Amino acid sequence: MWNLITGIAQDNGNISEEILRGAVTATEDGFMKLVHRSYMIKPLIASIGSCCLVGVIWKGTLYIANLGDSRAVVVSLGRSNKIIAEQLTREHNA
């Protein structure tokens, strides 16, 4: 996926939500094709998870994309050194 993202970004000169969405969609499509091809031989493949979490900082903007049972969380220190965790993405299952 990283090669796909960086290749498109270099061609376009930028990173965008659409580029990350396309890369995640291509990855998910490939995984789902594998599940469909293998299901009759290995039915448990439908219950196996796959995770992909990508974070890209491009010109001062953080772009996050995920696929699978993972979530991106950013942590910062708030007032009185209180730790603040902010969930950036949701889990995604096939």
Side-chain angles (χ1 to χ4, degrees):
M1 178 187 290
W2 184 248
N3 290 338
L4 177 62
I5 293 170
T6 55
I8 293 171
Q10 288 174 351
D11 290 346
N12 292 334
N14 70 349
I15 292 281
S16 67
E17 179 181 340
E18 292 78 26
I19 290 171
L20 288 179
R21 187 179 304 275
V24 169
T25 298
T27 302
E28 181 177 31
D29 290 347
F31 179 69
M32 292 304 290
K33 286 177 186 174
L34 173 68
V35 170
H36 287 295
R37 281 195 318 262
S38 305
Y39 182 75
M40 295 305 285
I41 299 166
K42 299 178 183 177
L44 288 178
I45 195 165
S47 64
I48 294 172
S50 175
C51 298
C52 179
L53 180 60
V54 177
V56 178
I57 298 174
W58 182 270
K59 296 184 180 177
T61 301
L62 173 63
Y63 296 88
I64 299 289
N66 79 311
L67 175 65
D69 297 334
S70 59
R71 76 174 71 162
V73 177
V74 66
V75 177
S76 62
L77 284 177
R79 295 181 183 169
S80 302
N81 287 331
K82 181 180 177 184
I83 296 174
I84 300 170
E86 181 182 355
Q87 183 174 330
L88 301 177
T89 62
R90 296 184 317 245
E91 294 85 0
H92 175 81
N93 302 57

